[in-house]
Amino acid sequence: MLSEGSSFLKGVMIGSIFYALITVLGHIKIGHGNRMHHHEHHHLQAPNKEEILKISEDERMELSRSFRVYCIILVKPRDVSLWAAVKETWTKHCDKAEFFSSEDVKVFESINMETNDMWLMMKKAYKYAFDKYSDQYNWFFLARPTTFAIIENLKYFLLKKDPSQPFYIGHTIKSGDFEYVSVEGGIVLSVESLKRLNSLLNTSEKCPEQGGMIWKISEDKQLAVCLKYAGVFAENAEDAEGKDVFNTKSVGLFIKEAMTNHPDQVVEGCCSDMAVTFNGLTPNQMHVMMYGVYRLRGFGHTFNDALIFLPPNGSDND
Amino acid sequence: MSEIHFQEMASKSWLNILTFLCGSAIGFFFCSQLFSILLGEQGDTQPNILHNDPHARHSDDNGQNHPEGQMNFNADSSQHKDENTDIAENLYQKVKILCWVMTGPQNLEKKAKHVKATWAQRCNKVLFMSSEENKDFPTVGLKTKEGRDQLYWKTIKAFQYVHDHYLEDADWFMKADDDTYVILDNLRWLLSKYSPEKPIYFGRRFKPFVKQGYMSGGAGYVLSKEALKRFIDAFKTEKCTHSSSIEDLALGKCMEVMNVEAGDSRDTTGKETFHPFVPEHHLIKSYLPRTFWYWNYNYYPPVQGPGCCSDLAVSFHYVDSTTMYELEYLVYHLRAYGYLYRYQPALPENILKEVSQVNKNEDPKVKLGNP
């Protein structure tokens, strides 16, 4: 009996030690996980009214100019009509926007990434952006041509954010324990994140050339894995009401869903007033959004905003 | 002797191994529980120092989760807390508009309902006109039949009803269809420059058939109080009759007969405000084919592309239910933060005086903002 008892106790000890060992090893693997945890959810918030009223107009303009957003749009030849729409609409509001294509396309100027693989395109584009522009821009926004973005609202959300911190923001999706920013809602990186990403990309073991062995992992997931190694974690951006600001759906789709799910509060339950992106638009819908966001409004509704953005030169649809 | 001993030993060691494994399993499980309790606590004490977090909910859930159950339907008010609606409210008091919406029994749930849920609420008074009365919706019963050929009858009777019951309750009288979206704030801005005693009416002006032109029915049209009086009077004195079933044309002819002016509803840059189609059809060049009737009907030179439409558009037509809400969202909710609109129309003079009086009492740093 005694020998059974002692072997039982030995078993308990060994079992516990074994578990502890596994857990500790697991944590080391995840890396700086717990320590950086507080970066995950910033709940980006607007400054309050009293603060705004204290700032002079000149200060507001200066504050507005401190955000410099470089837009990367990844395109393929088949995207030509969306490419045209995007070029004529929202990208005019980026401080600089460049199109990165899989191959040369006659109709439009672009930077040729010379590859059909989306992950490779993304990596090369980020590398290009870092090498050329890391000292000129502090925020880097990547999107597909199916996305419509309101850069002014992006800048509003970045208000009070320090670009020297690693930010990786957008519409996040959880895949088990793993959280990544969906490319369909647009991906925002601070210059610090871009810097870390770039140094990782130069040491290729952590960021593999291709995705999984059997099936391809989407490029946005790949990016998240890479950034994780660099200690940069995905954050979901929400407004003061908790509504997503980066959207992977179009306004139309949101409305249709709202009409089914809460028909008595369709618009109120739909989308954020300060939405930054919508996705899945047709080229025509992009032009309608341009009119709806930058022109159409109800007379007599005014706002006292902390930032001031002027319309871009040489444009007639905003 | 050694054999028996050996057997005993074997069975004993089997038992030992079993208890050992049991023990290690229990130890493992116990430890995992312990660790999860400890780590769980750690998770909860993540520093909140960085945020003045208004909502307790920590987004551990999927970003795609729309917090429907948790939705506070008064949330709308705080999203608009930076919004100043003084000028819009001032105009609401100064420029009283009665809207009547042309609908029918089969369209109450399909169409009229969405009008009621969106723009109709901004009219000073709204009436839904149908062939039959419906006390629940509610609709006014005009005691006509339904159908396209009844439109002028319905129009005459609707204006009659409005004249008999609500003449003194409004300055302007707007007719719209149940697939028209109207932006009342912009209509008030347009009308604020005119007196309701002036015999005038506004809409999307068409040129054929009537010398001074007539207003498209679908894009909606608005009559001054004097214009309404003259219209009703015309039927009493038989200067106008139910001459045809083409509602907008017949009304336009009657207006001309009664010396009611067909007004120019374009904005100060010459862009149209009343639209016979949805924004997409006007904004996209070559959407409407060159041979389309529209090009020959427009009184003023028609424009495709961004010049088609005023920033302060008043109406769009052929708006389906989804688009009704989309427009509501685009006009009254979604905006580009801090954006200085290119088109900065002047406030009507009388309003300007009032508002600057109010502002004299406030902090001089507060700018008027840009409507």
Side-chain angles (χ1 to χ4, degrees):
Chain A
M1 259 314 279
L2 205 64
S3 63
E4 274 101 54
S6 71
S7 58
F8 180 78
L9 284 171
K10 278 182 209 159
V12 172
M13 260 178 59
I14 302 287
S16 331
I17 291 168
F18 190 57
Y19 182 84
L21 223 76
I22 290 177
T23 321
V24 169
L25 282 173
H27 272 205
I28 290 174
K29 230 184 165 191
I30 293 168
H32 318 282
N34 282 336
R35 254 186 292 128
M36 299 288 248
H37 195 72
H38 68 273
H39 271 265
E40 276 189 32
H41 306 294
H42 277 111
H43 293 305
L44 312 174
Q45 294 260 337
N48 57 34
K49 204 172 191 174
E50 290 68 44
E51 287 176 41
I52 297 172
L53 297 183
K54 291 182 193 142
I55 317 173
S56 73
E57 191 175 317
D58 288 332
E59 284 172 328
R60 288 186 221 186
M61 291 243 46
E62 211 184 296
L63 181 60
S64 311
R65 277 193 284 256
S66 70
F67 297 97
R68 307 224 354 113
V69 176
Y70 175 81
C71 296
I72 297 169
I73 302 101
L74 301 178
V75 289
K76 288 189 167 178
R78 60 156 193 252
D79 297 324
V80 157
S81 52
L82 284 168
W83 183 343
V86 163
K87 207 164 132 76
E88 283 164 34
T89 59
W90 63 266
T91 55
K92 290 192 277 192
H93 291 246
C94 301
D95 293 284
K96 189 172 182 69
E98 290 194 294
F99 292 84
F100 294 78
S101 57
S102 51
E103 56 189 80
D104 271 329
V105 174
K106 275 198 191 142
V107 212
F108 296 121
E109 254 182 57
S110 65
I111 298 158
N112 192 350
M113 296 284 94
E114 286 166 350
T115 172
N116 237 322
D117 179 74
M118 284 307 293
W119 172 226
L120 216 50
M121 270 180 79
M122 192 183 265
K123 282 197 291 182
K124 286 176 117 182
Y126 274 131
K127 181 160 175 31
Y128 179 95
F130 179 75
D131 289 343
K132 217 170 170 191
Y133 298 117
S134 60
D135 55 347
Q136 293 176 51
Y137 300 93
N138 43 19
W139 297 95
F140 294 81
F141 176 65
L142 184 144
R144 290 284 286 129
T146 48
T147 306
F148 185 92
I150 306 168
I151 301 297
E152 289 80 4
N153 290 350
L154 172 60
K155 292 181 177 180
Y156 173 60
F157 268 95
L158 298 177
L159 199 61
K160 283 187 165 182
K161 296 289 140 244
D162 175 8
S164 68
Q165 292 297 306
F167 283 93
Y168 166 43
I169 303 164
H171 180 107
T172 58
I173 298 177
K174 263 196 162 174
S175 184
D177 254 345
F178 175 66
E179 197 168 2
Y180 66 99
V181 172
S182 166
V183 67
E184 293 188 330
I187 306 173
V188 179
L189 294 182
S190 62
V191 66
E192 174 61 25
S193 305
L194 189 64
K195 192 186 290 176
R196 294 192 193 187
L197 175 69
N198 199 68
S199 55
L200 252 182
L201 291 178
N202 290 331
T203 63
S204 54
E205 326 102 46
K206 290 276 169 81
C207 289
E209 284 292 312
Q210 248 127 5
M213 286 158 282
I214 305 164
W215 60 84
K216 274 205 159 178
I217 300 175
S218 63
E219 67 277 14
D220 43 10
K221 282 191 189 142
Q222 301 259 39
L223 180 67
V225 170
C226 265
L227 285 169
K228 215 174 185 180
Y229 282 126
V232 179
F233 294 87
E235 265 188 71
N236 196 50
E238 298 158 9
D239 66 12
E241 313 305 316
K243 288 184 187 167
D244 284 342
V245 173
F246 290 82
N247 298 294
T248 52
K249 297 188 270 200
S250 63
V251 177
L253 192 53
F254 273 116
I255 296 289
K256 284 195 172 77
E257 287 178 1
M259 285 172 75
T260 313
N261 299 334
H262 38 92
D264 292 329
Q265 295 281 343
V266 176
V267 178
E268 292 77 359
C270 158
C271 341
S272 174
D273 280 23
M274 306 309 303
V276 176
T277 60
F278 290 102
N279 190 56
L281 286 85
T282 64
N284 283 2
Q285 285 168 345
M286 300 242 179
H287 289 281
V288 175
M289 284 296 281
M290 203 65 182
Y291 174 68
V293 171
Y294 292 106
R295 295 178 57 203
L296 184 66
R297 60 205 185 268
F299 185 84
H301 297 252
T302 62
F303 296 87
N304 205 358
D305 293 335
L307 303 172
I308 303 176
F309 298 111
L310 299 177
N313 285 329
S315 179
D316 65 352
N317 59 358
D318 52 19
Chain B
M1 176 74 176
S2 58
E3 244 187 58
I4 298 164
H5 193 67
F6 178 70
Q7 270 183 9
E8 260 184 42
M9 286 280 289
S11 63
K12 251 200 173 169
S13 56
W14 238 122
L15 204 57
N16 274 347
I17 290 168
L18 209 62
T19 47
F20 179 81
L21 288 173
C22 256
S24 57
I26 288 172
F28 196 89
F29 177 73
F30 186 70
C31 230
S32 76
Q33 290 306 297
L34 204 70
F35 265 72
S36 69
I37 290 168
L38 288 174
L39 288 179
E41 272 175 16
Q42 242 188 52
D44 285 341
T45 57
Q46 283 313 311
N48 265 5
I49 44 166
L50 296 176
H51 4 292
N52 36 335
D53 190 355
H55 50 108
R57 162 183 103 88
H58 242 270
S59 31
D60 276 330
D61 46 5
N62 189 324
Q64 280 175 338
N65 252 353
H66 282 279
E68 272 146 22
Q70 304 161 39
M71 186 67 66
N72 171 18
F73 290 136
N74 289 324
D76 201 46
S77 54
S78 63
Q79 284 222 47
H80 291 252
K81 64 175 162 23
D82 299 323
E83 185 175 349
N84 184 319
T85 54
D86 288 348
I87 295 168
E89 283 169 25
N90 193 307
L91 281 176
Y92 182 89
Q93 299 302 330
K94 289 223 143 42
V95 185
K96 291 193 163 64
I97 302 177
L98 180 147
C99 311
W100 71 262
V101 180
M102 176 96 83
T103 186
Q106 330 83 298
N107 281 340
L108 295 184
E109 284 303 300
K110 278 196 302 181
K111 296 184 178 190
K113 179 172 102 156
H114 307 298
V115 167
K116 193 164 167 227
T118 57
W119 63 265
Q121 297 172 47
R122 297 190 186 88
C123 305
N124 296 75
K125 175 81 190 159
V126 64
L127 296 165
F128 288 88
M129 301 292 187
S130 170
S131 52
E132 305 169 11
E133 185 188 26
N134 179 313
K135 291 215 169 102
D136 297 317
F137 192 85
T139 65
V140 173
L142 300 171
K143 301 196 188 86
T144 61
K145 288 174 273 187
E146 282 296 327
R148 215 177 150 74
D149 60 333
Q150 297 294 305
L151 288 177
Y152 196 37
W153 272 125
K154 287 172 87 174
T155 304
I156 296 164
K157 287 182 189 264
F159 273 124
Q160 186 77 58
Y161 181 90
V162 166
H163 177 270
D164 293 346
H165 295 89
Y166 296 102
L167 186 64
E168 297 313 319
D169 293 12
D171 307 309
W172 299 85
F173 302 85
M174 170 92 195
K175 175 260 174 181
D177 286 347
D178 52 19
D179 58 353
T180 309
Y181 183 87
V182 182
I183 304 169
L184 269 300
D185 293 310
N186 296 342
L187 182 57
R188 290 194 181 93
W189 174 75
L190 172 71
L191 298 177
S192 63
K193 310 180 203 76
Y194 300 92
S195 162
E197 316 307 327
K198 188 179 161 93
I200 194 169
Y201 79 125
F202 294 95
R204 169 61 80 110
R205 204 166 169 189
F206 283 161
K207 68 178 177 228
F209 315 121
V210 182
K211 191 152 169 267
Q212 67 162 2
Y214 68 97
M215 306 307 173
S216 153
Y221 47 77
V222 57
L223 275 61
S224 68
K225 193 193 300 250
E226 179 57 29
L228 175 60
K229 282 183 187 165
R230 291 194 187 189
F231 183 69
I232 301 303
D233 195 60
F235 280 85
K236 271 205 191 106
T237 58
E238 285 185 3
K239 290 204 182 90
C240 296
T241 59
H242 183 274
S243 49
S244 99
S245 62
I246 307 172
E247 164 237 340
D248 46 11
L249 180 53
L251 187 129
K253 282 188 169 149
C254 186
M255 291 286 107
E256 189 165 74
V257 162
M258 299 305 289
N259 289 318
V260 174
E261 186 187 335
D264 180 356
S265 57
R266 294 175 302 170
D267 73 14
T268 52
T269 65
K271 296 193 182 71
E272 297 273 12
T273 56
F274 289 76
H275 300 96
F277 304 109
V278 290
E280 190 177 342
H281 293 28
H282 291 282
L283 288 166
I284 307 298
K285 294 185 179 137
S286 328
Y287 193 103
L288 303 169
R290 273 263 136 228
T291 52
F292 202 46
W293 59 263
Y294 172 73
W295 301 113
N296 295 319
Y297 268 50
N298 217 51
Y299 191 91
Y300 304 106
V303 180
Q304 289 179 99
C308 68
C309 315
S310 174
D311 286 21
L312 302 184
V314 171
S315 72
F316 293 101
H317 183 224
Y318 292 122
V319 177
D320 65 19
S321 53
T322 314
T323 311
M324 223 28 109
Y325 295 107
E326 277 186 60
L327 284 169
E328 182 80 7
Y329 174 68
L330 290 177
V331 176
Y332 289 105
H333 293 265
L334 184 65
R335 68 185 185 97
Y337 188 84
Y339 187 67
L340 214 64
Y341 296 112
R342 279 187 207 275
Y343 183 48
Q344 299 288 348
L347 279 169
E349 231 182 76
N350 48 346
I351 315 293
L352 191 61
K353 277 195 206 134
E354 271 189 48
V355 182
S356 41
Q357 281 291 341
V358 173
N359 272 9
K360 273 196 191 123
N361 307 328
E362 280 185 24
D363 188 323
K365 273 199 192 146
V366 175
K367 275 198 82 178
L368 201 61
N370 297 304

